[in-house]
Short mmCIF file of all heavy atoms in Angstrom, two decimals:
data_model
loop_
_atom_site.label_atom_id
_atom_site.label_comp_id
_atom_site.label_asym_id
_atom_site.label_seq_id
_atom_site.Cartn_x
_atom_site.Cartn_y
_atom_site.Cartn_z
N ILE A 1 -108.23 -65.87 181.72
CA ILE A 1 -108.02 -66.05 180.28
C ILE A 1 -107.27 -67.34 180.02
O ILE A 1 -107.62 -68.13 179.15
CB ILE A 1 -107.26 -64.85 179.69
CG1 ILE A 1 -108.10 -63.58 179.83
CG2 ILE A 1 -106.89 -65.09 178.24
CD1 ILE A 1 -107.39 -62.34 179.38
N ILE A 2 -106.23 -67.56 180.81
CA ILE A 2 -105.40 -68.75 180.62
C ILE A 2 -106.20 -70.02 180.84
O ILE A 2 -106.11 -70.98 180.08
CB ILE A 2 -104.18 -68.69 181.55
CG1 ILE A 2 -103.23 -67.59 181.07
CG2 ILE A 2 -103.48 -70.03 181.60
CD1 ILE A 2 -102.08 -67.33 182.02
N ALA A 3 -107.04 -70.04 181.89
CA ALA A 3 -107.84 -71.23 182.17
C ALA A 3 -108.80 -71.54 181.03
O ALA A 3 -108.96 -72.68 180.61
CB ALA A 3 -108.62 -71.05 183.48
N THR A 4 -109.43 -70.49 180.50
CA THR A 4 -110.38 -70.69 179.40
C THR A 4 -109.68 -71.20 178.16
O THR A 4 -110.10 -72.15 177.50
CB THR A 4 -111.11 -69.37 179.08
OG1 THR A 4 -111.78 -68.93 180.25
CG2 THR A 4 -112.11 -69.56 177.95
N VAL A 5 -108.58 -70.54 177.81
CA VAL A 5 -107.84 -70.93 176.62
C VAL A 5 -107.29 -72.34 176.75
O VAL A 5 -107.34 -73.14 175.82
CB VAL A 5 -106.69 -69.93 176.34
CG1 VAL A 5 -105.81 -70.43 175.22
CG2 VAL A 5 -107.26 -68.56 175.99
N PHE A 6 -106.81 -72.66 177.94
CA PHE A 6 -106.26 -74.00 178.15
C PHE A 6 -107.33 -75.07 177.99
O PHE A 6 -107.10 -76.13 177.41
CB PHE A 6 -105.62 -74.10 179.53
CG PHE A 6 -105.02 -75.46 179.79
CD1 PHE A 6 -103.83 -75.82 179.19
CD2 PHE A 6 -105.67 -76.38 180.59
CE1 PHE A 6 -103.27 -77.07 179.41
CE2 PHE A 6 -105.12 -77.63 180.81
CZ PHE A 6 -103.92 -77.97 180.23
N ALA A 7 -108.56 -74.78 178.47
CA ALA A 7 -109.64 -75.75 178.33
C ALA A 7 -109.96 -76.00 176.86
O ALA A 7 -110.13 -77.14 176.43
CB ALA A 7 -110.90 -75.24 179.06
N LEU A 8 -110.02 -74.94 176.07
CA LEU A 8 -110.29 -75.10 174.65
C LEU A 8 -109.14 -75.79 173.95
O LEU A 8 -109.32 -76.61 173.06
CB LEU A 8 -110.56 -73.74 174.01
CG LEU A 8 -111.88 -73.07 174.43
CD1 LEU A 8 -111.99 -71.71 173.77
CD2 LEU A 8 -113.08 -73.93 174.09
N PHE A 9 -107.91 -75.44 174.36
CA PHE A 9 -106.74 -76.08 173.75
C PHE A 9 -106.74 -77.57 174.05
O PHE A 9 -106.45 -78.40 173.19
CB PHE A 9 -105.47 -75.44 174.28
CG PHE A 9 -104.22 -76.09 173.73
CD1 PHE A 9 -103.83 -75.83 172.43
CD2 PHE A 9 -103.47 -76.97 174.49
CE1 PHE A 9 -102.69 -76.43 171.90
CE2 PHE A 9 -102.34 -77.58 173.98
CZ PHE A 9 -101.95 -77.30 172.68
N HIS A 10 -107.13 -77.93 175.27
CA HIS A 10 -107.21 -79.35 175.62
C HIS A 10 -108.26 -80.05 174.77
O HIS A 10 -108.05 -81.17 174.30
CB HIS A 10 -107.55 -79.50 177.10
CG HIS A 10 -107.74 -80.93 177.53
ND1 HIS A 10 -106.70 -81.81 177.67
CD2 HIS A 10 -108.87 -81.62 177.80
CE1 HIS A 10 -107.16 -82.99 178.04
NE2 HIS A 10 -108.48 -82.90 178.12
N LEU A 11 -109.40 -79.36 174.53
CA LEU A 11 -110.44 -79.94 173.71
C LEU A 11 -109.94 -80.21 172.30
O LEU A 11 -110.06 -81.31 171.77
CB LEU A 11 -111.66 -79.01 173.66
CG LEU A 11 -112.74 -79.36 172.63
CD1 LEU A 11 -113.40 -80.68 172.99
CD2 LEU A 11 -113.76 -78.24 172.52
N GLN A 12 -109.34 -79.19 171.67
CA GLN A 12 -108.92 -79.35 170.28
C GLN A 12 -107.77 -80.33 170.15
O GLN A 12 -107.64 -81.03 169.15
CB GLN A 12 -108.57 -77.99 169.66
CG GLN A 12 -107.37 -77.30 170.25
CD GLN A 12 -107.36 -75.81 169.88
OE1 GLN A 12 -108.41 -75.18 169.77
NE2 GLN A 12 -106.19 -75.27 169.69
N SER A 13 -106.91 -80.41 171.16
CA SER A 13 -105.78 -81.33 171.06
C SER A 13 -106.22 -82.78 171.21
O SER A 13 -105.50 -83.69 170.83
CB SER A 13 -104.73 -80.99 172.13
OG SER A 13 -105.26 -81.18 173.42
N SER A 14 -107.44 -82.97 171.76
CA SER A 14 -107.94 -84.34 171.92
C SER A 14 -108.67 -84.83 170.68
O SER A 14 -109.06 -85.98 170.61
CB SER A 14 -108.89 -84.41 173.13
OG SER A 14 -110.06 -83.65 172.87
N LEU A 15 -108.85 -83.94 169.69
CA LEU A 15 -109.57 -84.30 168.49
C LEU A 15 -108.61 -84.68 167.38
O LEU A 15 -107.40 -84.53 167.51
CB LEU A 15 -110.47 -83.13 168.07
CG LEU A 15 -111.53 -82.74 169.12
CD1 LEU A 15 -112.19 -81.44 168.75
CD2 LEU A 15 -112.56 -83.84 169.28
N ALA A 16 -109.17 -85.16 166.27
CA ALA A 16 -108.33 -85.67 165.18
C ALA A 16 -107.84 -84.52 164.32
O ALA A 16 -108.45 -84.15 163.32
CB ALA A 16 -109.14 -86.67 164.35
N GLN A 17 -106.74 -83.92 164.72
CA GLN A 17 -106.13 -82.88 163.92
C GLN A 17 -105.49 -83.51 162.69
O GLN A 17 -104.89 -84.56 162.78
CB GLN A 17 -105.09 -82.13 164.76
CG GLN A 17 -105.67 -81.52 166.03
CD GLN A 17 -104.60 -81.03 166.98
OE1 GLN A 17 -103.44 -80.98 166.64
NE2 GLN A 17 -105.00 -80.67 168.18
N ALA A 18 -105.62 -82.83 161.58
CA ALA A 18 -105.09 -83.36 160.32
C ALA A 18 -103.94 -82.48 159.86
O ALA A 18 -104.12 -81.27 159.66
CB ALA A 18 -106.18 -83.42 159.27
N THR A 19 -102.76 -83.06 159.68
CA THR A 19 -101.60 -82.31 159.23
C THR A 19 -101.62 -82.18 157.71
O THR A 19 -101.72 -83.16 156.98
CB THR A 19 -100.30 -83.01 159.67
OG1 THR A 19 -100.25 -83.02 161.10
CG2 THR A 19 -99.08 -82.28 159.13
N LEU A 20 -101.55 -80.93 157.25
CA LEU A 20 -101.53 -80.64 155.82
C LEU A 20 -100.10 -80.57 155.29
O LEU A 20 -99.81 -81.11 154.24
CB LEU A 20 -102.26 -79.32 155.55
CG LEU A 20 -103.71 -79.25 156.05
CD1 LEU A 20 -104.29 -77.86 155.83
CD2 LEU A 20 -104.57 -80.30 155.36
N PHE A 21 -99.22 -79.89 156.03
CA PHE A 21 -97.81 -79.76 155.65
C PHE A 21 -96.97 -79.86 156.92
O PHE A 21 -97.41 -79.51 158.00
CB PHE A 21 -97.53 -78.42 154.96
CG PHE A 21 -98.60 -78.00 153.99
CD1 PHE A 21 -99.34 -76.87 154.20
CD2 PHE A 21 -98.85 -78.76 152.87
CE1 PHE A 21 -100.33 -76.48 153.32
CE2 PHE A 21 -99.84 -78.40 151.98
CZ PHE A 21 -100.58 -77.25 152.20
N SER A 22 -95.73 -80.33 156.78
CA SER A 22 -94.87 -80.46 157.95
C SER A 22 -93.41 -80.43 157.55
O SER A 22 -93.05 -80.66 156.38
CB SER A 22 -95.18 -81.77 158.69
OG SER A 22 -94.85 -82.89 157.88
N ASP A 23 -92.55 -80.18 158.52
CA ASP A 23 -91.11 -80.27 158.36
C ASP A 23 -90.48 -80.37 159.73
O ASP A 23 -91.03 -79.87 160.72
CB ASP A 23 -90.55 -79.06 157.60
CG ASP A 23 -89.15 -79.32 157.03
OD1 ASP A 23 -88.71 -80.49 157.07
OD2 ASP A 23 -88.52 -78.36 156.56
N SER A 24 -89.35 -81.04 159.82
CA SER A 24 -88.61 -81.15 161.08
C SER A 24 -87.14 -81.35 160.77
O SER A 24 -86.75 -81.66 159.63
CB SER A 24 -89.12 -82.33 161.93
OG SER A 24 -88.72 -83.56 161.36
N ALA A 25 -86.30 -81.18 161.80
CA ALA A 25 -84.86 -81.30 161.62
C ALA A 25 -84.46 -82.70 161.20
O ALA A 25 -83.38 -82.90 160.63
CB ALA A 25 -84.15 -80.90 162.91
N ALA A 26 -85.32 -83.69 161.50
CA ALA A 26 -84.99 -85.06 161.12
C ALA A 26 -84.90 -85.24 159.61
O ALA A 26 -84.33 -86.22 159.12
CB ALA A 26 -86.04 -86.02 161.69
N ASN A 27 -85.46 -84.28 158.84
CA ASN A 27 -85.44 -84.38 157.38
C ASN A 27 -84.14 -83.89 156.76
O ASN A 27 -83.99 -83.95 155.54
CB ASN A 27 -86.60 -83.57 156.80
CG ASN A 27 -87.96 -84.14 157.19
OD1 ASN A 27 -88.11 -85.35 157.35
ND2 ASN A 27 -88.94 -83.27 157.38
N TYR A 28 -83.19 -83.39 157.59
CA TYR A 28 -82.00 -82.71 157.06
C TYR A 28 -80.72 -83.38 157.54
O TYR A 28 -80.61 -83.78 158.70
CB TYR A 28 -81.98 -81.25 157.51
CG TYR A 28 -83.13 -80.42 156.97
CD1 TYR A 28 -84.40 -80.52 157.53
CD2 TYR A 28 -82.95 -79.57 155.90
CE1 TYR A 28 -85.46 -79.79 157.04
CE2 TYR A 28 -84.01 -78.81 155.39
CZ TYR A 28 -85.26 -78.93 155.97
OH TYR A 28 -86.31 -78.19 155.48
N GLY A 29 -79.74 -83.46 156.63
CA GLY A 29 -78.38 -83.82 157.01
C GLY A 29 -77.59 -82.60 157.44
O GLY A 29 -76.81 -82.65 158.39
N THR A 30 -77.82 -81.49 156.75
CA THR A 30 -77.28 -80.18 157.14
C THR A 30 -78.36 -79.15 156.92
O THR A 30 -79.23 -79.31 156.04
CB THR A 30 -76.04 -79.81 156.31
OG1 THR A 30 -76.39 -79.79 154.91
CG2 THR A 30 -74.91 -80.80 156.54
N TRP A 31 -78.28 -78.07 157.70
CA TRP A 31 -79.28 -77.01 157.58
C TRP A 31 -78.59 -75.81 156.96
O TRP A 31 -77.76 -75.15 157.60
CB TRP A 31 -79.85 -76.67 158.97
CG TRP A 31 -80.99 -75.71 158.95
CD1 TRP A 31 -81.92 -75.56 158.00
CD2 TRP A 31 -81.28 -74.75 159.98
NE1 TRP A 31 -82.82 -74.56 158.34
CE2 TRP A 31 -82.46 -74.06 159.56
CE3 TRP A 31 -80.70 -74.44 161.20
CZ2 TRP A 31 -83.03 -73.05 160.33
CZ3 TRP A 31 -81.28 -73.44 161.97
CH2 TRP A 31 -82.44 -72.75 161.53
N THR A 32 -78.89 -75.53 155.70
CA THR A 32 -78.20 -74.47 154.96
C THR A 32 -79.20 -73.59 154.26
O THR A 32 -80.36 -73.96 154.07
CB THR A 32 -77.24 -75.07 153.92
OG1 THR A 32 -77.99 -75.89 153.00
CG2 THR A 32 -76.16 -75.91 154.59
N ASN A 33 -78.75 -72.42 153.87
CA ASN A 33 -79.60 -71.48 153.14
C ASN A 33 -80.09 -72.14 151.84
O ASN A 33 -79.32 -72.76 151.10
CB ASN A 33 -78.82 -70.21 152.82
CG ASN A 33 -79.71 -69.16 152.16
OD1 ASN A 33 -80.80 -68.87 152.65
ND2 ASN A 33 -79.26 -68.61 151.05
N GLY A 34 -81.40 -72.02 151.56
CA GLY A 34 -81.97 -72.60 150.36
C GLY A 34 -82.40 -74.05 150.49
O GLY A 34 -82.97 -74.61 149.55
N SER A 35 -82.13 -74.67 151.63
CA SER A 35 -82.55 -76.07 151.81
C SER A 35 -84.06 -76.13 152.06
O SER A 35 -84.67 -75.19 152.56
CB SER A 35 -81.79 -76.71 152.98
OG SER A 35 -82.00 -75.99 154.18
N ASN A 36 -84.64 -77.26 151.72
CA ASN A 36 -86.10 -77.42 151.89
C ASN A 36 -86.44 -78.89 151.77
O ASN A 36 -86.48 -79.44 150.67
CB ASN A 36 -86.87 -76.61 150.86
CG ASN A 36 -88.38 -76.68 151.09
OD1 ASN A 36 -88.84 -77.25 152.07
ND2 ASN A 36 -89.13 -76.08 150.19
N ALA A 37 -86.68 -79.54 152.88
CA ALA A 37 -87.03 -80.96 152.86
C ALA A 37 -88.48 -81.19 153.25
O ALA A 37 -88.95 -82.31 153.24
CB ALA A 37 -86.11 -81.74 153.80
N GLY A 38 -89.18 -80.12 153.61
CA GLY A 38 -90.56 -80.27 154.04
C GLY A 38 -91.53 -80.14 152.89
O GLY A 38 -91.17 -80.16 151.71
N THR A 39 -92.81 -79.99 153.22
CA THR A 39 -93.85 -79.82 152.21
C THR A 39 -94.66 -78.58 152.56
O THR A 39 -94.95 -78.33 153.72
CB THR A 39 -94.80 -81.03 152.17
OG1 THR A 39 -95.38 -81.22 153.47
CG2 THR A 39 -94.05 -82.30 151.78
N GLY A 40 -95.02 -77.82 151.53
CA GLY A 40 -95.89 -76.68 151.74
C GLY A 40 -95.21 -75.42 152.24
O GLY A 40 -95.87 -74.44 152.57
N PHE A 41 -93.86 -75.43 152.31
CA PHE A 41 -93.11 -74.27 152.79
C PHE A 41 -92.13 -73.81 151.72
O PHE A 41 -91.66 -74.60 150.90
CB PHE A 41 -92.31 -74.61 154.05
CG PHE A 41 -93.15 -75.05 155.22
CD1 PHE A 41 -93.33 -76.40 155.49
CD2 PHE A 41 -93.75 -74.13 156.05
CE1 PHE A 41 -94.10 -76.83 156.55
CE2 PHE A 41 -94.53 -74.54 157.13
CZ PHE A 41 -94.70 -75.89 157.38
N SER A 42 -91.78 -72.51 151.77
CA SER A 42 -90.70 -72.02 150.93
C SER A 42 -89.37 -72.55 151.45
O SER A 42 -89.28 -73.08 152.57
CB SER A 42 -90.70 -70.49 150.92
OG SER A 42 -90.43 -69.99 152.22
N VAL A 43 -88.30 -72.39 150.65
CA VAL A 43 -86.97 -72.81 151.10
C VAL A 43 -86.56 -71.96 152.29
O VAL A 43 -87.02 -70.83 152.48
CB VAL A 43 -85.94 -72.69 149.97
CG1 VAL A 43 -86.32 -73.58 148.80
CG2 VAL A 43 -85.78 -71.23 149.53
N TRP A 44 -85.68 -72.50 153.11
CA TRP A 44 -85.15 -71.75 154.25
C TRP A 44 -84.31 -70.57 153.75
O TRP A 44 -83.45 -70.72 152.89
CB TRP A 44 -84.29 -72.63 155.14
CG TRP A 44 -85.06 -73.55 156.05
CD1 TRP A 44 -85.26 -74.89 155.88
CD2 TRP A 44 -85.70 -73.19 157.27
NE1 TRP A 44 -85.98 -75.41 156.91
CE2 TRP A 44 -86.28 -74.38 157.80
CE3 TRP A 44 -85.85 -72.00 157.98
CZ2 TRP A 44 -86.98 -74.40 158.99
CZ3 TRP A 44 -86.57 -72.02 159.18
CH2 TRP A 44 -87.12 -73.21 159.67
N ASP A 45 -84.60 -69.39 154.29
CA ASP A 45 -83.80 -68.19 154.02
C ASP A 45 -83.00 -67.91 155.29
O ASP A 45 -83.55 -67.43 156.29
CB ASP A 45 -84.73 -67.02 153.68
CG ASP A 45 -83.96 -65.75 153.33
OD1 ASP A 45 -82.73 -65.84 153.15
OD2 ASP A 45 -84.60 -64.69 153.25
N LEU A 46 -81.71 -68.27 155.28
CA LEU A 46 -80.84 -68.14 156.46
C LEU A 46 -79.81 -67.04 156.22
O LEU A 46 -79.18 -66.99 155.16
CB LEU A 46 -80.13 -69.46 156.75
CG LEU A 46 -80.99 -70.74 156.84
CD1 LEU A 46 -80.11 -71.94 157.14
CD2 LEU A 46 -82.09 -70.59 157.88
N TRP A 47 -79.63 -66.18 157.20
CA TRP A 47 -78.61 -65.14 157.09
C TRP A 47 -78.19 -64.65 158.47
O TRP A 47 -78.87 -64.89 159.46
CB TRP A 47 -79.10 -63.98 156.22
CG TRP A 47 -80.05 -63.02 156.88
CD1 TRP A 47 -79.74 -61.84 157.48
CD2 TRP A 47 -81.48 -63.16 157.00
NE1 TRP A 47 -80.86 -61.22 157.96
CE2 TRP A 47 -81.95 -62.01 157.67
CE3 TRP A 47 -82.40 -64.13 156.60
CZ2 TRP A 47 -83.30 -61.80 157.96
CZ3 TRP A 47 -83.73 -63.92 156.89
CH2 TRP A 47 -84.17 -62.77 157.56
#
């Protein structure tokens, strides 16, 4: 199963994937409840 899945994963990773929405820690000065610096996501719910 792993070999098959890995082969397909390698195929799709070599193609032109298009990012629709994204977020990363680089977008934040502090990470707090209700913060949201990305696109296409709800605000962070931290507790």
Side-chain angles (χ1 to χ4, degrees):
I1 296 175
I2 290 173
T4 302
V5 173
F6 181 75
L8 291 177
F9 178 76
H10 176 74
L11 169 66
Q12 65 197 35
S13 64
S14 66
L15 299 170
Q17 302 168 10
T19 297
L20 304 175
F21 319 116
S22 65
D23 198 10
S24 73
N27 296 327
Y28 296 78
T30 59
W31 186 32
T32 59
N33 184 50
S35 58
N36 184 5
T39 58
F41 299 97
S42 64
V43 299
W44 282 103
D45 183 11
L46 309 181
W47 78 95

